[in-house]
Amino acid sequence: MGSHAKAWLVEDESAREMLDRVLTERPFLLLPPLHRVPLRVGNVVELVGPSSSSKTHILIQAAITCILPKLWKGVSYGGLGHSAMFIDLDCRFDVLRFSELLNHRIMEAANGSSSKVGCHQKDSEAQFERMKPYHEELFALCMKRFLYIRCYDSSEFLRLSRTLHYRLQKEREVHGVNVHLLLIDSIGAFHWVDRGSSSFPLECDNRKSWHLQNVSEAVVQEIRRLLLVHPMLVMATKAVVLGNKYSTNELTWNYRKCSAVDNPYSRNITSSDQQLPYREYMPAAWQSFVTHRILVRATDDDLVNGEHQNNSIYLLKWLLPPLNSLDKFTVRDTGVFILS
């Protein structure tokens, strides 16, 4: 009994490590349109929607918020000051566009800081020139915190998931900050190709052939293990084809409330039990892994006046947890804006 008590008292982490762990486990709110529900590390958020529904843009804005510092050279940028890892399964990521959006956010925060102190236009322009080296330094720092990886098939994605622990550990040693966001775009990119193949061998394991279900289960298992060692928020996009039953501007958002006895880890969420305007195709291993689900789609409307003139309007609905609110938002270079 005494030995067990002494073992319990043995220090297994420093005070700094304990504070870092506690602080990262606190809930935090992302910028709109993901502001309705506080998210914690360990949550898995799935953004569902058809093509051209701003899913990737939402991921990018979340990544920019993560890599921006909260405060830099006396200017508030409202970021989290952590690293973000972006896994591109769709192979359509535009790094130049990402850098433009990051620059827009940096300049917007700097300009907002100048306007708050009441600078005249000439003084503001002069201050901007003086701050330019600092902006470039901040841009370089943020880009170092953005980790981009591209995968071309399921076997490569599985191999990556098995090495993420070492990659994240190395990045933490090099940059001194943890990876706070794991972004996957898009999780179903290889589903239909793999489904057309009865089985396929993996170079990392020649002892057996892998099927679609095996790969999904293995990827989910590896990410689960990863989250135990590297607490992160996981966000993934999933492309779907919405049914013709729902017109673009007349949406019926019906869902069945789950009873308290339902097991979220074994329940297969499909269009039949939530009456969603799309058919669920991802394997049950991934579906049970998701803790939050959001449905987004574009509308046929464009704003013709006001601050966001000529911008497309998008709709967002929280499905898991189910919320009664339906958000309208528009996308600009400086971020995503909720419409009243």
Side-chain angles (χ1 to χ4, degrees):
M1 182 72 179
S3 61
H4 289 295
K6 291 181 180 179
W8 185 84
L9 293 174
V10 173
E11 177 185 355
D12 58 357
E13 63 179 343
S14 66
R16 181 188 179 111
E17 291 172 340
M18 185 272 291
L19 288 175
D20 289 341
R21 176 175 55 80
V22 171
L23 291 176
T24 56
E25 290 177 356
R26 295 179 59 186
F28 59 92
L29 286 170
L30 292 176
L31 294 178
L34 306 178
H35 62 297
R36 295 290 185 186
V37 177
L39 301 171
R40 296 177 179 271
V41 294
N43 290 156
V44 180
V45 183
E46 184 183 67
L47 290 168
V48 183
S51 299
S52 302
S53 58
S54 74
K55 300 186 301 298
T56 301
H57 191 95
I58 293 174
L59 285 194
I60 289 175
Q61 291 295 345
I64 291 175
T65 300
C66 183
I67 63 180
L68 278 172
K70 184 176 182 180
L71 192 69
W72 175 264
K73 306 293 185 181
V75 177
S76 175
Y77 292 93
L80 302 176
H82 289 275
S83 296
M85 175 174 285
F86 193 102
I87 302 177
D88 183 14
L89 307 183
D90 212 19
C91 297
R92 292 191 296 180
F93 181 79
D94 188 350
V95 67
L96 293 179
R97 179 59 176 162
F98 178 84
S99 63
E100 290 175 357
L101 294 174
L102 175 58
N103 262 321
H104 278 296
R105 288 280 294 274
I106 292 175
M107 306 309 295
E108 181 190 36
N111 293 337
S113 176
S114 299
S115 62
K116 287 181 181 179
V117 297
C119 296
H120 296 291
Q121 182 176 2
K122 291 184 177 180
D123 294 337
S124 179
E125 292 175 356
Q127 182 179 6
F128 172 80
E129 290 299 324
R130 292 195 300 270
M131 292 291 292
K132 190 173 181 180
Y134 296 101
H135 296 158
E136 294 175 350
E137 182 182 357
L138 175 58
F139 176 82
L141 173 64
C142 291
M143 290 300 291
K144 289 179 181 179
R145 292 176 176 174
F146 181 70
L147 315 175
Y148 174 78
I149 303 174
R150 175 177 290 184
C151 296
Y152 293 95
D153 54 44
S154 291
S155 60
E156 191 172 352
F157 183 36
L158 178 56
R159 289 196 298 270
L160 169 66
S161 66
R162 290 175 170 174
T163 61
L164 280 179
H165 167 67
Y166 304 101
R167 289 173 181 255
L168 296 179
Q169 193 173 21
K170 182 178 179 180
E171 291 295 333
R172 181 169 56 188
E173 294 172 355
V174 172
H175 300 292
V177 292
N178 295 321
V179 174
H180 209 54
L181 278 182
L182 178 62
L183 309 168
I184 306 174
D185 186 32
S186 110
I187 190 62
F190 311 129
H191 175 82
W192 300 110
V193 175
D194 295 344
R195 187 173 180 177
S197 303
S198 58
S199 65
F200 49 95
L202 294 181
E203 296 177 4
C204 57
D205 191 348
N206 295 323
R207 292 172 297 178
K208 61 180 178 179
S209 295
W210 288 72
H211 297 268
L212 175 62
Q213 188 71 23
N214 300 135
V215 174
S216 298
E217 292 176 355
V219 168
V220 169
Q221 185 179 19
E222 292 297 334
I223 297 179
R224 284 188 189 275
R225 292 173 179 172
L226 183 69
L227 295 180
L228 295 176
V229 183
H230 303 275
M232 297 179 292
L233 173 66
V234 181
M235 296 180 62
T237 64
K238 183 176 69 179
V240 296
V241 177
L242 299 186
N244 295 328
K245 177 181 176 181
Y246 297 86
S247 65
T248 307
N249 294 315
E250 297 177 357
L251 298 179
T252 303
W253 304 87
N254 297 321
Y255 53 84
R256 181 178 67 84
K257 293 185 178 180
C258 303
S259 63
V261 298
D262 284 344
N263 184 358
Y265 296 101
S266 61
R267 181 169 170 267
N268 186 17
I269 301 173
T270 64
S271 58
S272 60
D273 65 337
Q274 285 193 320
Q275 301 182 38
L276 301 180
Y278 71 91
R279 180 182 177 184
E280 180 61 71
Y281 60 87
M282 288 296 292
W286 171 258
Q287 292 182 50
S288 63
F289 187 43
V290 173
T291 62
H292 298 71
R293 181 174 286 108
I294 304 169
L295 182 60
V296 292
R297 67 177 300 165
T299 71
D300 293 332
D301 297 333
D302 290 329
L303 291 175
V304 296
N305 52 36
E307 180 183 0
H308 309 291
Q309 185 175 353
N310 298 325
N311 289 331
S312 298
I313 299 176
Y314 302 90
L315 299 177
L316 179 145
K317 178 70 177 180
W318 284 84
L319 302 178
L320 186 67
L323 299 181
N324 291 328
S325 60
L326 178 65
D327 288 322
K328 291 184 176 181
F329 66 95
T330 186
V331 173
R332 299 182 65 190
D333 290 342
T334 52
V336 177
F337 297 89
I338 295 293
L339 304 175
S340 57

